[in-house]
Amino acid sequence: MKYQTVSKPRDLMNLAGQPSCLLEDEQADEQRYDISIVVPLMNEEENVVRLCSELRAVMDREVLRYEVIIVNDGSSDASGRLLEQEIGTDSRFTVVEFTRNFGQSSAM
């Protein structure tokens, strides 16, 4: 899992167009994905584990290279901690953690 903390949504603009693998290691070989899934969430601790497991189950049945970018839009519950536990070291997942709630439009 790659993890990026963002204090302003416009900070994400620097990452636009780059594969998520470059967030952590800019020297890494560029990876191409068949599909990128972006999931904004806020205070979804009751759904995080199910979301991640169902995304994996569905996408692993497909013959696609994929990435999942989850934007935690300033959750005040345990969503962030549960995301870390559920995703672990799965390199197909990236979590962008907003320091406060910026709204769904910014999260997308």
Side-chain angles (χ1 to χ4, degrees):
M1 171 185 79
K2 293 164 283 297
Y3 197 85
Q4 180 78 25
T5 301
V6 177
S7 58
K8 298 179 290 253
R10 72 180 140 187
D11 291 345
L12 288 175
M13 294 174 76
N14 296 330
L15 305 174
Q18 296 183 22
S20 62
C21 64
L22 298 180
L23 292 176
E24 201 168 84
D25 182 8
E26 292 190 11
Q27 302 301 319
D29 292 334
E30 188 173 338
Q31 232 176 329
R32 300 280 182 209
Y33 299 105
D34 296 312
I35 187 168
S36 295
I37 301 165
V38 179
V39 181
L41 62 84
M42 181 182 169
N43 296 333
E44 294 289 341
E45 67 185 357
E46 295 176 7
N47 301 311
V48 166
V49 172
R50 183 174 178 191
L51 168 72
C52 294
S53 65
E54 288 193 21
L55 278 170
R56 278 193 196 103
V58 169
M59 295 309 297
D60 287 347
R61 283 193 305 257
E62 302 298 322
V63 185
L64 299 171
R65 289 169 298 173
Y66 70 93
E67 68 174 340
V68 178
I69 302 166
I70 300 176
V71 182
N72 186 3
D73 192 15
S75 293
S76 59
D77 65 359
S79 295
R81 180 179 54 77
L82 290 169
L83 276 170
E84 285 185 58
Q85 289 174 354
E86 180 61 26
I87 294 169
T89 60
D90 191 333
S91 63
R92 298 169 297 184
F93 284 76
T94 299
V95 175
V96 177
E97 182 85 29
F98 283 176
T99 55
R100 67 175 184 83
N101 177 256
F102 289 98
Q104 185 175 357
S105 294
S106 294
M108 294 298 289

